[in-house]
Amino acid sequence: MRTGDLKILFASNDSIALPVLNALNPEAVLTIRTTESGRKKRINPIALWAEQNNKKIHCIDHLMKKEREEILCSGYDMLISFSFSRIFGPKFLSIFPKGCFNIHPSLLPKYRGPSPLQAALLNGDKTTGVVMQTISLKMDEGDIVSSQNISIEPCDDYHTLFEKASRSAVSVVNGFFEIYPKIIFSPQIGEPTYTGLISKSEGKISFSEYGENIERKIKAYSEYPRMRCSFNDQILILQKARFEKAVHSYENGLVVGYKKNDALQIAVNGGFLYVTELQKQGKSLTDAQSFINGNKAIIGQLLKECEA
């Protein structure tokens, strides 16, 4: 990656950006200050990377005048952001004479907003991608300057798609700097769609919902909030599953049986959900066979929608 003598400020809060950081090796990073939650202190992967690589860190709560002036005095040429979770104002964007660019894990204008990977999985897409765009004053509306498609395989969930997007972002940034400064600005084409923040309530399983939709949600929400139901008044998290169409007369949510060395078979709307990885809340994630060894009574039980 040839960045010349550019002083680049890289803005992010998310580990998805780490491969790009390693390849780009920017002058400094801009990240949001983490807060302690209870006894646990959240680790900011971007700040940690900067500390380990002896880079300057601008750790902020908000981008106000004081923070803007500090960054201005540092004399950065370019801003690149990836999963920063903040909107940049016009005064801040004017600081960077060589431009401001954002990396986004979807094929814009599809899936603008904070949860594009989850949206691709929820909609059963076969392809998504990563783009590098100019930063506009409105969310994800900038021109495209580099992009790469990503195939979504039947076995992919949020974790695997996250890794694909993270690696693909390196190629996208490489492609950008191969032509920089002779950049080709391509306006976004097509009808935009938008994604929102994901809430914990979206992780509640309703077994009356069509089974393919449940499977997609398990994949999309495998990191957060994770799909959960109730078994003997305990929360049960279904982490990996596949849906197979079938005609049956079982009540939806009934654990019909166990396919040896494979999965729990749960009746759902339109067929059966075969769960291969699951866990009780507070316990370790386990495969279906190990779970059955300690919870044989689950066969024949009706799983219910949890309240929490």
Side-chain angles (χ1 to χ4, degrees), residues 155-210:
C155 59
D156 278 324
D157 63 7
Y158 176 78
H159 294 96
T160 59
L161 195 56
F162 180 99
E163 292 300 325
K164 285 183 178 181
S166 186
R167 295 192 301 269
S168 182
V170 177
S171 297
V172 168
V173 176
N174 266 322
F176 169 79
F177 280 108
E178 283 175 3
I179 62 173
Y180 181 84
K182 298 179 180 179
I183 307 167
I184 299 172
F185 297 91
S186 301
Q188 297 181 29
I189 299 173
E191 188 68 25
T193 59
Y194 295 87
T195 67
L197 293 171
I198 295 168
S199 67
K200 185 179 179 180
S201 63
E202 292 176 77
K204 295 193 293 184
I205 296 176
S206 172
F207 290 104
S208 62
E209 186 174 6
Y210 186 58

Side-chain angles (χ1 to χ4, degrees), residues 54-188:
N54 298 314
K55 301 293 182 180
K56 186 172 183 178
I57 306 172
H58 298 278
C59 201
I60 65 166
D61 293 310
H62 302 284
L63 271 172
M64 307 301 287
K65 182 178 179 181
K66 177 183 176 183
E67 291 81 7
R68 191 169 64 242
E69 289 179 347
E70 178 186 337
I71 291 170
L72 175 62
C73 290
S74 297
Y76 301 114
D77 298 309
M78 181 183 289
L79 171 70
I80 297 178
S81 67
F82 189 8
S83 191
F84 181 59
S85 71
R86 291 289 190 277
I87 299 295
F88 299 112
K91 291 182 179 179
F92 182 76
L93 295 176
S94 69
I95 290 173
F96 306 93
K98 300 298 184 181
C100 303
F101 304 92
N102 176 61
I103 303 163
H104 186 78
S106 80
L107 296 175
L108 293 170
K110 196 174 186 180
Y111 305 145
R112 292 173 178 172
S115 54
L117 297 179
Q118 293 93 330
L121 291 164
L122 287 172
N123 289 317
D125 293 352
K126 300 296 188 293
T127 305
T128 186
V130 174
V131 303
M132 191 168 182
Q133 59 171 154
T134 58
I135 297 178
S136 68
L137 296 181
K138 293 184 178 180
M139 183 175 60
D140 296 329
E141 291 190 7
D143 292 339
I144 306 300
V145 294
S146 183
S147 66
Q148 184 174 83
N149 287 7
I150 300 171
S151 294
I152 303 177
E153 305 299 332
C155 59
D156 278 324
D157 63 7
Y158 176 78
H159 294 96
T160 59
L161 195 56
F162 180 99
E163 292 300 325
K164 285 183 178 181
S166 186
R167 295 192 301 269
S168 182
V170 177
S171 297
V172 168
V173 176
N174 266 322
F176 169 79
F177 280 108
E178 283 175 3
I179 62 173
Y180 181 84
K182 298 179 180 179
I183 307 167
I184 299 172
F185 297 91
S186 301
Q188 297 181 29

